[in-house]
Amino acid sequence: MRIFVWLARAFVFFALFAFALNNQQESAVRWFFGYEWRAPMVIVVLTAFAGGCVFGVLAMVPSWWKHRRVARRHAPLDMPAKPQAAPQAAAPLSDFGPEHPPRDGL
């Protein structure tokens, strides 16, 4: 499975690298008041993509905080603060008392 993850990462890297090589021509972004920014097309596109990702994450932060508050409010009080390091093994069938007889076939 690890090899597939690394192959996917390599594919994404080479696809972005090819994208960057194919978009080296200079472009201009014109802002207000006559300000102009000149950069290679790949930088402009990747900057716009990164800005959109940052804006999307920042737009979701208030919702995440609200859901955390609701989850904390509805969490049971006897719930431990940290999960246990390792789950405990189930008791063997011979340890069951008469009130919990073992089931047939197990």
Side-chain angles (χ1 to χ4, degrees):
M1 184 66 183
R2 265 190 173 166
I3 191 75
F4 293 121
V5 171
W6 279 104
L7 285 173
R9 289 177 182 170
F11 175 76
V12 169
F13 171 77
F14 286 118
L16 290 174
F17 187 71
F19 175 77
L21 288 178
N22 288 329
N23 291 294
Q24 290 183 354
Q25 64 271 20
E26 189 169 306
S27 65
V29 178
R30 291 181 179 86
W31 299 92
F32 299 109
F33 308 113
Y35 181 73
E36 184 176 296
W37 177 49
R38 292 189 170 271
M41 178 69 78
V42 67
I43 300 297
V44 173
V45 171
L46 292 178
T47 302
F49 177 74
C53 289
V54 168
F55 179 76
V57 168
L58 290 177
M60 292 179 65
V61 166
S63 176
W64 288 339
W65 286 344
K66 177 185 171 191
H67 288 285
R68 279 184 60 141
R69 278 194 312 270
V70 170
R72 282 185 183 167
R73 191 176 313 135
H74 295 297
L77 296 177
D78 59 341
M79 187 174 176
K82 292 183 181 178
Q84 294 179 354
Q88 296 178 357
L93 289 178
S94 61
D95 288 346
F96 285 110
E99 60 274 350
H100 298 290
R103 291 181 277 179
D104 291 338
L106 292 178

